[in-house]
Amino acid sequence: MGFGLSVLATFFKLGFEPNVRTFSTLINGFLLAGRVAEATAIFRKMVDGGNCKPDAVTFGTLIKGLCIKGNNGGALQLLRKMELSPDSLKTFRFLVSGLLHLFGQLADFSSMDALEIIVRSEMSTEEDGKKKFTKRDELLEIEKNVQSWWEEERIFEAKARKNSPKPGEKFFGTFPFPYMNGVLHLGHAFSLSKLEFAAAYHRLRGANVLLPFAFHCTGMPIKASADKLAREVQEFGCPPVFPINAEPGKQEEKRKGTSAGSPPGKKHKGKKSKVVLKSAGEAYQWLIMRKGTDLSDSEIEKFQDPKQWLTYFPPKAVKDLKDFGLGCDWRRSFITTDMNPFYDAFVKWQVRKLKSMGKIVKDVRYTIYSPKDGQPCADHDRASGEGVQPQEYTVIKMEVVAPFPSKLGVLEGRNVFLAAAMLRPETICGQTNAWILPDGKYGAFEINEADVFILTPRAALNLAYQKYSRVAEKPTCLVEINGNDLIGLPLKSPLAPNQIVYALPILTILSDNGTGIVTSLPSDAPEMMAWRDLKSKPALREKYGVREEWIMPFEGRKVEEAEPLTRSKLIEAGEAFIYSEPEQQVVSKSGDECIVALTDQWYITYGEAEWKKLAEECLSGMSFYSDETRRGFEHTLGWLNQWACSRSFGLGTRIPWDEEFLVESLSDSTIYMAYYTIAHFLHNGNMYVGSNSEVIPEHMTDEVWDFIFCEGPKPKYSVLIHQFSSDRKKQKNTSILDEMKQEFQYWYPFDLRVSGKDLIQNHLTFCIYNHAAIMAKKHWPPGFRCNGHLMLNAEKMSKAKGNFKTLAEAIKEFSADATRFSLADAGDGVENANFDSETANAAILRLNKEMDWMKEVLKQEHHLRTGPPSTFADRVFANEINIAVNRTEKNYQAYMFREALKTGVYDLQAARDEYRFSCGTLEGMNRDLVWHFMDVQTRLITPICPHYAEHVWRKILNKEGFVVKAG
């Protein structure tokens, strides 16, 4: 390759003009040398460059190279870029040798046969102006038929058996129920697919499998969206006529410079959280629903009632999941909130039980709070800032020394303080001056009749909700102040080495962190530099009006040598007080920037010493399939403290002893996995009230729940003792109550809970705590499997950027099995995964190609060699099949589905293709071995592509029963 490049250099020196053949030859040389990246780079330059555009030979050369290197997706993507014209058909013969690798080295096909497959599969035809995708449509038709077979035979309905299961005999898996303010998208499907593949594997192996699914409706977002619709109708009519060119607002986080209150270069102790601000709910809700659903304006109008959301989106999700092929027992489905009185009773029992154990208390604590919503804003109520906690500061009161400058003249007679927020108040004894932002916006805010604090309006709003305002929750600004007005203010600062310190300018303060006022300490490098600049540069002092005597000498003093003074002493002396604000910006789903408020409400006492020990004991016995996941739980247990569990706005269950409040959305969903085990007795297919059930909500008393879930005594007066399910009325030997308890004891604990890693810091850790408090140890959760977020075509999924796909859209575009195939291929770890549309398109081809090959082979089955496998090629192929089975089973057991796809599909099919190539002709292949391959291949792909596998099992291989339970 080096010699070739030297020749090319000489070519240019001699003044020859390169043509397309020159570049095609160069691309081919790079490919032969295995340097695919360089070959691709040259091709891209040809595409983006001037007159030397790639021709069919160039395309063919690169496609062949990509195929040989195994980059089938890239080859297909490149092929789609070629324009199919009558003149270019001849050039396809050049591509066949490479494309045969893509189609599994089809030895029985001629080059024109391969070309026919390419043209039929890749080139869509136009009919009545609409595109028709034959291969995709064939899969969709197969899926529709297979789903009807499953539903007719109730193949996924799970029934507890009489005897307790031995290890491996049952599998109960759960997934955090999605929030029902919209339709399901590929992100939901990705996390859910991990559970679906695991459950399908265990079902295939003969286990008794329960995979239930429910829908979360608790909380603020649905109610807020419904109220927003009502406001839009009231303001703009029905249907609304919005202002022209109205643009939804967006907020963007900008965090640069020095944190006010945090010394530069120092990190505060609060828990960090990445904050990615999205649209803060400012877009018109009506337009969102027009764009995001197929609803008409007359239908959207009904969504002003929150109940309409609960009756529209859950059934839509059920349909999408059935189309997806989810192996779910739908009899056990339900929604949350008091619209489902059974679940309402369950949550009330749970919180009453926690309160009786002293684990729910009323307390005054700092919490993230939305002034607009008038209530705390938990993680699930946030558009951004999930996981952000209150950050506690000590505010130092630096008294402004009279006489006041004219700007502050109206404050004469009041105690006026610059309020500086500090994370290390013990260092105040080394203070040299105060820093302010020259162009910053400040205000003099009335705290009480005597005291006035100078700080930023944002900090004043936080203080007003922390009982530091003359008017509660309404900061009163007496004077608006520019930072320049504060330069040179003489101050008395507690414990400072100098009697008077001065307010000096610095440009690195952030007004959206702390109070906008920073104390200067000798250890703070950026402030040291600023101080030295002011001392050594007269022009800089003149610019801001700083006098030389204001620059106080350090005299070599080190902060650590100063006498440590505790925060408590400062507070006792009235020279400081506690202040809190969000660690980073938090925006609620109603579009409100949140603050920290001091609220009197109900808290769950997570972090309490004895309870934490139980949670840690539970954690130590769990499987997480990733060291990073385990570390995430250990970290969360380390910082998690009391959690506000009550809300005054939204949907949900009323706190039974204080019905002014609702149980918040992360506190009503911690042990509901137990509810699944008996949900079919309560709902029997009706996710709302359960009108078809023999049990009514009033039957479900606390004593009944205790008996079923907590090994409590059998209720003496429950009517359920004398109630029998319809299929046992003849025997009259087991009551419904006993059946429910037996069902719970058979299935619990769940074997696996699958979730996105973002729930480690709240829901999943809450699940551990609540199981440790309420359930017997034998019912504690044995394992969680967490995954990363899903990207779409290597970019973050974003509605705003148009890179977004709902589950229904994916199924319509690719089919369910091709979607599942691409989800399995997307990735298995806790890092972000990628759904590649090219992989899904390639899956459509692969699945159809396999069915075509099986049909073709079986049509000519009489040509296959009979008798036991005997040749060397037979033995090699049989061994490859055994290797594929063993490796794929290990991958399924470890929940490594991408690897299972590789070993059970790609590698096995490659072994088949090599066998065919070795045998040379159809007559050279052994009949029994080919049948064995088709049987094994169908079983191994079943968890990932069950519709395809079921169709092959019944319609091509003509086998009995269902492959999903074939073993």
Side-chain angles (χ1 to χ4, degrees), residues 224-243:
S225 295
D227 290 350
K228 195 174 181 183
L229 276 177
R231 291 194 299 270
E232 290 170 5
V233 168
Q234 184 177 4
E235 185 174 355
F236 301 109
C238 187
V241 180
F242 296 109

Side-chain angles (χ1 to χ4, degrees), residues 39-40 59 74 123-124 147 177 210 252 260 306 450 498 505 539 551 632 642 668 670 673 688 692 696 764 808 909:
T40 305
F59 273 93
M123 304 305 171
S124 58
Q147 288 162 13
F177 40 28
L210 171 59
E252 182 179 348
N498 300 290
I551 314 298
Q642 289 191 355
D668 80 338
T670 55
M673 313 89 198
Y688 300 99
N692 299 324
I696 62 174
L764 294 176
Q909 288 182 4

Side-chain angles (χ1 to χ4, degrees), residues 162 714 721-725 727-736 738-739:
K162 185 175 182 180
K714 193 169 187 176
I721 296 175
H722 310 291
Q723 197 76 290
F724 299 87
S725 58
D727 60 344
R728 294 201 177 187
K729 281 184 177 178
K730 292 182 180 179
Q731 297 181 1
K732 295 278 184 178
N733 60 347
T734 306
S735 69
I736 286 182
D738 289 324
E739 281 191 75

Side-chain angles (χ1 to χ4, degrees), residues 884-899:
V885 170
N886 291 332
R887 289 179 176 173
T888 304
E889 179 152 34
K890 288 180 180 178
N891 288 326
Y892 275 132
Q893 288 173 343
Y895 306 131
M896 300 298 288
F897 304 112
R898 186 176 191 174
E899 290 302 308

